[in-house]
Amino acid sequence: MRDGEQTPGVALTCEEKLWIARKLDEMGVHIIEAGSAITSEGERNAIRGITAEGLDSEICSYCRIMKQDVDYALECDVDSIHLVAPVSDLHINVKLKKDRQAVREMSTSVIEYAKDHGLIVEFSGEDASRADFDFLKSLYQEGIDAGADRLCYCDTVGMLVPEKTENIFSELSRACNVPVSIHCHDDFGLSVANTIAALKAGAGEAHMTINGIGERAGNTSLEEVVMILEWLYDHRTGIKSEEIYKTSRLVSRLTGIPVAINKSLVGGNAFTHEAGIHVHGLLADTSTYEPLKPEVLGRERKIVLGKHAGKSSVTLALKELGLEVDDSQLNEILSRVKEIGDHGKHVTDSDLQTIADTVLNIYRESRVKLKDFTIVSGNQVMPTASVRITVDGEEVVEADIGDGPVDAVVKGIRKAVSGIGDVQLEEYHVDAITGGTDALVEVRVKLSKDGKMVSSRGARTDIITASVEAVINAINQLMN
């Protein structure tokens, strides 16, 4: 298993890249492509930081077929290089402005140079799926003769289909006496299927990324390939699957690339159930509507309440809040839940708590209460927020800065409650409910603490006040 690919618009700090590398290593990823050393001094600093960490994973740098790239990789003390040569006539003639013979000579020379300097070399054919296959095979053989340790077949623009992939890798695995890997892009949504086909046909390695991020439509999703191999083919990968979800969330948070809510395995809805008939089945046996338990991925099952909710859904959700009700109370709570659902809304944890408290005539004292907050912001001013809250009756005043006024005030609140728990903001959404500059806005948030996650909502004409309301409500849910 290999992880690494450049993603447009993503600029991570050295520290952030190190966090991700540590997490990948903890998961059991065998090779981490940490970057391209030729890119910049900042990129080299990040790669050096990763190689200095002493991880178990093999650390690799992307290189072109140029000795200068290898020299920069050597400066970073990497274990290996991913040496990429254009192999389709389109890439050779148009991009490289060379001919096939030049590619042969450049590749052989650089492979020998890298091997002379003690590097593991994975020799990769860029745009291999549009290349002349006989030329590709002969180039691979010359690479092996020059000392290449592994080969890679790149479906650079996602043109493969599984049947063709299987044929290609059956032939390559027979013809080559070194491991051959598959590198797929997802332009047609077939990267995972093609990767599985290649592995079945003899590929010894797969290039993948967390959440499938990468150029254009992205690359092969590591979490999908791992779980397909483990659960559908009964093949042990060595990856610690219970770390997958946490790694997915970390990468999403640091890159700023959200995971689609309906994405398999790690999307927000992957283990979320609303329909009453589904939840009724889950209560009898979770395998009725789940192919695997969420705990396998380090996740938790989530019950969403809306107009499709049934008694089973509400009962299960109330149990998660530590509440037990009789039949008449359950019917009343379900009726109120459906009323909210009929208005096109989902019932958040805070909503359900409020409904249940009202029906059960319970008064629940909030541990965290807002007294006031102040925001300073402008086009020439760093957004700064100060907040005054009470935590368990004691007043706390904190301030922080952020990328905007909402970011600043949320950071201030998190800092103010840090004494009773480390609260993480997992998701933040804003929707305008009405039109105009004075529109009523709804802010929905998901916060987590120690593995527990709750959702909450705030609705005001002031987006900052709505955000504060949602965050405070969610914090009280987490702390109760």
Side-chain angles (χ1 to χ4, degrees):
M1 297 294 170
R2 179 197 190 107
D3 194 278
E5 175 71 16
Q6 299 298 314
T7 305
V10 174
L12 299 175
T13 66
C14 295
E15 186 177 21
E16 288 169 339
K17 289 185 177 184
L18 182 56
W19 289 343
I20 293 174
R22 286 172 180 155
K23 197 62 184 171
L24 294 174
D25 184 67
E26 183 183 349
M27 279 180 63
V29 170
H30 308 105
I31 306 169
I32 299 172
E33 190 170 306
S36 178
I38 189 67
T39 302
S40 68
E41 184 59 30
E43 185 84 342
R44 289 189 286 278
N45 286 336
I47 298 172
R48 289 187 194 106
I50 293 170
T51 56
E53 191 71 9
L55 303 178
D56 291 329
S57 303
E58 177 186 312
I59 308 302
C60 177
S61 174
Y62 176 98
C63 291
R64 300 167 298 175
I65 45 174
M66 299 178 67
K67 291 181 180 179
Q68 182 186 18
D69 288 32
V70 177
D71 289 335
Y72 277 120
L74 288 166
E75 284 185 20
C76 299
D77 198 28
V78 296
D79 302 303
S80 63
I81 59 169
H82 178 205
L83 185 65
V84 180
V87 293
S88 69
D89 289 331
L90 175 64
H91 276 230
I92 292 170
N93 300 330
V94 176
K95 190 183 80 168
L96 196 61
K97 301 190 185 305
K98 303 280 186 182
D99 57 22
R100 291 183 179 183
Q101 185 58 34
V103 170
R104 292 181 188 275
E105 293 171 358
M106 293 169 69
S107 298
T108 298
S109 175
V110 176
I111 291 171
E112 291 175 343
Y113 182 74
K115 292 304 298 178
D116 287 343
H117 287 80
L119 290 168
I120 299 168
V121 175
E122 182 162 331
F123 181 42
S124 193
E126 183 180 21
D127 205 26
S129 50
R130 295 190 292 185
D132 176 80
F133 194 51
D134 288 334
F135 167 68
L136 178 65
K137 286 193 296 182
S138 66
L139 183 65
Y140 278 162
Q141 188 56 56
E142 290 175 11
I144 294 170
D145 294 341
D149 302 278
R150 301 188 293 259
L151 303 174
C152 178
Y153 184 103
C154 293
D155 185 21
T156 301
V157 291
M159 299 290 286
L160 287 177
V161 294
E163 297 83 1
K164 183 177 180 180
T165 303
E166 186 173 357
N167 291 335
I168 289 168
F169 276 84
S170 293
E171 185 165 345
L172 287 178
S173 61
R174 287 194 304 267
C176 304
N177 60 358
V178 298
V180 184
S181 62
I182 178 74
H183 178 111
C184 291
H185 283 258
D186 206 35
D187 297 82
F188 286 91
L190 288 171
S191 62
V192 169
N194 287 325
T195 297
I196 294 296
L199 291 168
K200 284 179 60 185
E205 177 193 326
H207 291 206
M208 297 167 287
T209 62
I210 298 297
N211 300 333
I213 62 175
E215 292 280 356
R216 302 183 312 281
N219 289 79
T220 305
S221 164
L222 181 142
E223 55 276 5
E224 292 175 18
V225 170
V226 167
M227 299 314 293
I228 288 170
L229 292 174
E230 296 265 358
W231 283 80
L232 303 184
Y233 288 96
D234 197 28
H235 176 80
R236 304 280 75 82
T237 63
I239 298 296
K240 297 176 183 175
S241 64
E242 66 274 11
E243 298 297 325
I244 283 178
Y245 185 63
K246 286 184 281 188
T247 307
S248 168
R249 297 302 307 165
L250 174 68
V251 170
S252 177
R253 186 166 68 248
L254 295 182
T255 60
I257 300 176
V259 176
I261 194 169
N262 63 330
K263 188 181 186 303
S264 60
L265 302 170
V266 293
N269 281 352
F271 294 94
T272 298
H273 307 271
E274 178 182 353
I277 190 171
H278 279 212
V279 178
H280 180 75
L282 287 170
L283 290 173
D285 186 337
T286 58
S287 64
T288 52
Y289 289 102
E290 288 178 348
L292 70 163
K293 293 182 183 297
E295 293 81 5
V296 171
L297 295 156
R299 299 197 61 171
E300 293 182 350
R301 184 175 298 106
K302 188 72 175 176
I303 305 301
V304 172
L305 301 180
K307 70 177 183 179
H308 299 295
K311 289 184 179 180
S312 299
S313 308
V314 175
T315 299
L316 187 56
L318 289 170
K319 283 184 177 178
E320 290 179 352
L321 295 175
L323 298 173
E324 293 186 8
V325 297
D326 59 30
D327 288 343
S328 62
Q329 292 166 334
L330 177 61
N331 288 334
E332 177 59 26
I333 292 171
L334 178 61
S335 174
R336 297 190 186 203
V337 166
K338 285 184 173 290
E339 183 180 350
I340 294 175
D342 283 336
H343 286 85
K345 300 182 184 299
H346 280 141
V347 176
T348 68
D349 300 287
S350 295
D351 293 334
L352 181 62
Q353 185 75 65
T354 300
I355 292 169
D357 286 354
T358 302
V359 171
L360 300 177
N361 195 27
I362 295 174
Y363 175 72
R364 187 180 299 274
E365 182 71 28
S366 297
R367 294 185 65 186
V368 178
K369 296 179 181 179
L370 175 72
K371 300 198 77 171
D372 56 62
F373 68 88
T374 303
I375 303 287
V376 178
S377 187
N379 67 333
Q380 299 294 323
V381 177
M382 175 70 73
T384 305
S386 63
V387 296
R388 190 160 60 106
I389 64 175
T390 58
V391 180
D392 294 332
E394 298 206 5
E395 186 173 296
V396 180
V397 178
E398 285 290 355
D400 213 326
I401 59 175
D403 292 332
V406 172
D407 187 44
V409 74
V410 171
K411 285 181 177 177
I413 293 170
R414 289 180 56 212
K415 185 185 290 186
V417 301
S418 61
I420 56 173
D422 181 20
V423 175
Q424 297 292 328
L425 177 64
E426 299 290 348
E427 292 183 20
Y428 176 88
H429 298 281
V430 179
D431 292 305
I433 299 174
T434 58
T437 56
D438 61 345
L440 181 67
V441 296
E442 179 185 74
V443 174
R444 287 172 290 121
V445 299
K446 283 187 179 179
L447 270 65
S448 67
K449 173 182 173 290
D450 300 332
K452 178 183 178 183
M453 187 179 297
V454 300
S455 57
S456 183
R457 175 190 296 124
R460 301 290 182 99
T461 55
D462 183 333
I463 187 174
I464 302 174
T465 304
S467 301
V468 169
E469 180 179 70
V471 169
I472 292 290
N473 286 342
I475 288 173
N476 278 311
Q477 288 297 314
L478 286 170
M479 298 305 176
N480 285 328

